[in-house]
Amino acid sequence: AQKVTQAQTEISVVEKEDVTLDCVYETRDTTYYLFWYKQPPSGELVFLIRRNSFDEQNEISGRYSWNFQKSTSSFNFTITASQVVDSAVYFCALSEAVIQGAQKLVFGQGTRLTINP
Amino acid sequence: DTGVSQNPRHKITKRGQNVTFRCDPISEHNRLYWYRQTLGQGPEFLTYFQNEAQLEKSRLLSDRFSAERPKGSFSTLEIQRTEQGDSAMYLCASSSTNYGYTFGSGTRLTVV
């Protein structure tokens, strides 16, 4: 069965520090997608990134970067020079194919990130 | 593109009452999903629609839960005879092809 593990329940850092959120997944599928979402206190899940299982290139978007390593089944997320506005719960998710090409997401338990001024 | 809209944002109900939530997806998205998120957990899949057809249901969706998507547009999720264990955030998402989901802001249900 699909499984996503985010071992870090809570992380607290001081503003401007770099922080890495870990994500480890389990799947028997050869084709899958990995996602990161941000959930601020308002509750909405904000899409950050989707990564195809065949694309192991790291990606950088501003202060955000993602490290996908298929050999260790990990998809870690790093925030550089963190800011107070980055405070949120972050979820890693793995897609699971369902009927007619749709996908349902299997989420980890989330990491609560607090950036202190 | 106005995003995925969910109503109401909050609902407080007494145990045993019925409640209904509504989700309006992004208009060009033919796929619609419902998830449930309890406190401190990640969202869990409940059910999926392609157009008006409900194609998959999770075992989490007991017979007190029913979802519809008439005409393949908006969707409703009804919970009958609510229990305290139903208290959660109910999230709706929509997508087209295989691109990443867009989630709504959710409906937070509190059963007292």
Side-chain angles (χ1 to χ4, degrees), chain A residues 33 35 37 39 41-45 47 50 91 96-110, chain B residues 9 31 33 35 37 40-45 48 50 55-56 89 91 97-105 108:
Chain A
Y33 293 90
F35 300 78
Y37 284 87
Q39 189 173 45
S42 60
E44 182 175 354
L45 282 168
F47 170 79
R50 181 186 81 151
F91 289 98
E96 178 179 342
V98 292
I99 295 174
Q100 294 186 16
Q103 296 175 328
K104 64 181 183 183
L105 301 187
V106 176
F107 284 83
Q109 291 196 310
Chain B
R9 290 296 309 276
R31 296 186 175 122
Y33 308 80
Y35 286 76
Q37 184 179 18
Q41 303 295 317
E44 296 172 292
F45 172 82
Y48 154 62
Q50 176 140 324
L55 298 183
E56 179 155 339
M89 173 79 86
L91 293 159
T97 64
N98 279 333
Y99 196 70
Y101 292 23
T102 301
F103 280 89
S105 297
R108 184 172 297 282

Side-chain angles (χ1 to χ4, degrees), chain A residues 4 6 23-24 34-37 75 90-94 106-108:
Chain A
V4 175
Q6 295 179 254
C23 173
V24 175
L34 293 162
F35 300 78
W36 275 95
Y37 284 87
F75 186 44
Y90 290 85
F91 289 98
C92 179
L94 169 68
V106 176
F107 284 83

Side-chain angles (χ1 to χ4, degrees), chain A residues 14-115:
Chain A
V14 177
E15 198 171 20
K16 298 183 183 176
E17 286 186 14
D18 298 347
V19 58
T20 296
L21 309 182
D22 297 333
C23 173
V24 175
Y25 63 92
E26 296 175 27
T27 181
R28 292 184 178 180
D29 292 347
T30 54
T31 302
Y32 52 89
Y33 293 90
L34 293 162
F35 300 78
W36 275 95
Y37 284 87
K38 174 181 180 180
Q39 189 173 45
S42 60
E44 182 175 354
L45 282 168
V46 178
F47 170 79
L48 296 177
I49 189 172
R50 181 186 81 151
R51 173 65 68 203
N52 183 302
S53 57
F54 294 110
D55 181 3
E56 290 193 67
Q57 282 191 345
N58 291 333
E59 180 157 340
I60 298 175
S61 176
R63 296 184 297 106
Y64 296 169
S65 63
W66 291 269
N67 183 349
F68 177 31
Q69 293 197 338
K70 218 167 174 179
S71 61
T72 56
S73 298
S74 65
F75 186 44
N76 297 336
F77 171 34
T78 298
I79 301 175
T80 303
S82 60
Q83 300 176 2
V84 173
V85 293
D86 295 327
S87 297
V89 180
Y90 290 85
F91 289 98
C92 179
L94 169 68
S95 68
E96 178 179 342
V98 292
I99 295 174
Q100 294 186 16
Q103 296 175 328
K104 64 181 183 183
L105 301 187
V106 176
F107 284 83
Q109 291 196 310
T111 297
R112 179 176 299 278
L113 176 64
T114 302
I115 310 296

Side-chain angles (χ1 to χ4, degrees), chain B residues 78-90:
Chain B
E78 180 183 16
I79 308 175
Q80 296 182 326
R81 305 180 304 282
T82 52
E83 302 172 356
Q84 286 190 322
D86 297 332
S87 295
M89 173 79 86
Y90 291 85

